[in-house]
Amino acid sequence: MNRITKILTVVVTCLVIGYFSGMVTRSAIITWYPTLVKPSFNPPNWIFAPVWSTLYIMMGIAAGLVWDRIESNTEIVKKALVFFAVQLALNALWSYLFFGLKNPMLALLEIVILWLMIYETYVQFGKINKIAGYLFIPYLLWVSFAMVLNASIWWLNK
């Protein structure tokens, strides 16, 4: 597989996972989420889809760039891609915990673990390909914001 095919494969995978995560959130965004007390810095709902789509594309490009180095750095690339897969699974799980189970506290605990896994993926990717590491910075920042938002929503509604 060439570099472009690897990148496209991971980008599509990330977008598909994001799509299925979005399916979990759709009904709750209409029924449950509007009933919650939210902090003043809560963004409008329409912002989440384009932000997440952009982040999933950036994550996919980053993982594809790392995957492309598997021939020259097999062990470190495999390790980095395991972290990537774990954080992607945790990313999807957060939507289920917060919107599916309607449990901001459990989602808050999980997003802390997610953040740590994103950070470790960023570190591992940066060792292999600097651009791949840099592509994870917006994701890390957005999830940092999401963690504060999640904590605020939990606090305001406990």
Side-chain angles (χ1 to χ4, degrees), residues 36-108:
L36 296 175
V37 178
K38 293 178 235 20
S40 61
F41 58 88
N42 189 73
N45 288 346
W46 65 264
I47 200 81
F48 291 96
V51 167
W52 276 113
S53 296
T54 302
L55 292 173
Y56 284 129
I57 291 167
M58 292 172 74
M59 289 165 45
I61 293 169
L65 291 172
V66 168
W67 183 13
D68 192 51
R69 300 270 177 94
I70 198 152
E71 299 301 322
S72 58
N73 295 314
T74 305
E75 291 309 310
I76 191 168
V77 168
K78 284 182 179 178
K79 178 182 175 185
L81 292 176
V82 166
F83 278 108
F84 177 80
V86 170
Q87 69 78 30
L88 191 57
L90 289 170
N91 179 300
L93 178 61
W94 182 89
S95 294
Y96 175 73
L97 297 175
F98 190 90
F99 290 105
L101 295 182
K102 300 173 180 65
N103 192 331
M105 185 189 72
L106 188 56
L108 178 59

Side-chain angles (χ1 to χ4, degrees), residues 2 17 25 28 30 36 49 82 85 87 124-125 147:
N2 66 29
I17 289 172
T25 68
I30 296 166
L36 296 175
V82 166
Q87 69 78 30
Q124 295 300 319
F125 277 18
M147 189 168 20

Side-chain angles (χ1 to χ4, degrees), residues 52 59 62-63 66 78-94 108-127 132-133 135-137 139-141 143-144 147:
W52 276 113
M59 289 165 45
V66 168
K78 284 182 179 178
K79 178 182 175 185
L81 292 176
V82 166
F83 278 108
F84 177 80
V86 170
Q87 69 78 30
L88 191 57
L90 289 170
N91 179 300
L93 178 61
W94 182 89
L108 178 59
L109 296 173
E110 192 268 357
I111 202 171
V112 171
I113 297 165
L114 170 59
W115 190 95
L116 293 169
M117 291 304 296
I118 294 168
Y119 180 77
E120 188 58 31
T121 304
Y122 157 74
V123 169
Q124 295 300 319
F125 277 18
K127 291 177 186 175
L135 286 168
F136 252 65
I137 292 172
Y139 179 35
L140 194 59
L141 294 173
V143 172
S144 298
M147 189 168 20

